[in-house]
Amino acid sequence: MKKLILIVALCAPMLCFAQIDTTKTQVKEQYCLLVSTERMLSSKFNVTVDFGEKPQFLTAGDRELKAKIKNGGRFESLVDALNQMGKQGWTLATSYVLPDNSFGNTLHCVLKRKLAE
């Protein structure tokens, strides 16, 4: 009896597979670049959003935001722009500052979001 219990105890873990194969379910991510430059004699910022050369997965909100910026829409601060992007599902991946020769600094924010397959 003890041998039978020992054999079942040793063989049972081989029959139980609790792990999920993660190679079959890969998460796709999309990145964009938000560039903010200070405007001269103003507290507002010029903000541009770069979705890449051929953005494939733009939502209606992304297109609306891109059109707003293209038509001269301004943000009071960079936080307003980041909050607007956050509403569209974007999260901040990294940011860096490049010095600008003409005026102030240029802040580059790399944003990402997960895409549903």
Side-chain angles (χ1 to χ4, degrees):
M1 184 69 180
K2 288 184 180 182
K3 290 182 182 180
L4 180 63
I5 293 173
L6 180 64
I7 291 173
V8 169
L10 291 175
C11 293
M14 289 187 279
L15 300 174
C16 300
F17 297 104
Q19 290 81 15
I20 297 172
D21 188 9
T22 58
T23 58
K24 293 180 183 176
T25 57
Q26 293 181 353
V27 177
K28 293 183 181 180
E29 292 179 338
Q30 181 183 14
Y31 292 89
C32 79
L33 180 67
L34 186 125
V35 180
S36 171
T37 54
E38 299 175 26
R39 293 174 57 194
M40 292 184 88
L41 304 173
S42 177
S43 63
K44 294 186 180 183
F45 291 84
N46 289 331
V47 177
T48 58
V49 180
D50 183 9
F51 290 104
E53 288 184 23
K54 296 180 181 177
Q56 300 172 358
F57 303 104
L58 288 182
T59 62
D62 294 336
R63 288 188 195 96
E64 181 181 314
L65 179 67
K66 197 172 182 179
K68 176 185 176 185
I69 293 171
K70 194 175 200 179
N71 294 332
R74 305 271 186 225
F75 292 101
E76 294 294 326
S77 69
L78 181 61
V79 175
D80 290 339
L82 288 172
N83 284 336
Q84 184 69 29
M85 295 297 285
K87 290 177 187 176
Q88 304 299 326
W90 295 94
T91 58
L92 182 66
T94 187
S95 64
Y96 54 94
V97 177
L98 295 177
D100 190 4
N101 293 335
S102 61
F103 179 75
N105 294 322
T106 303
L107 178 65
H108 295 253
C109 298
V110 179
L111 305 167
K112 71 176 181 178
R113 72 173 166 193
K114 294 182 178 168
L115 298 175
E117 291 188 29

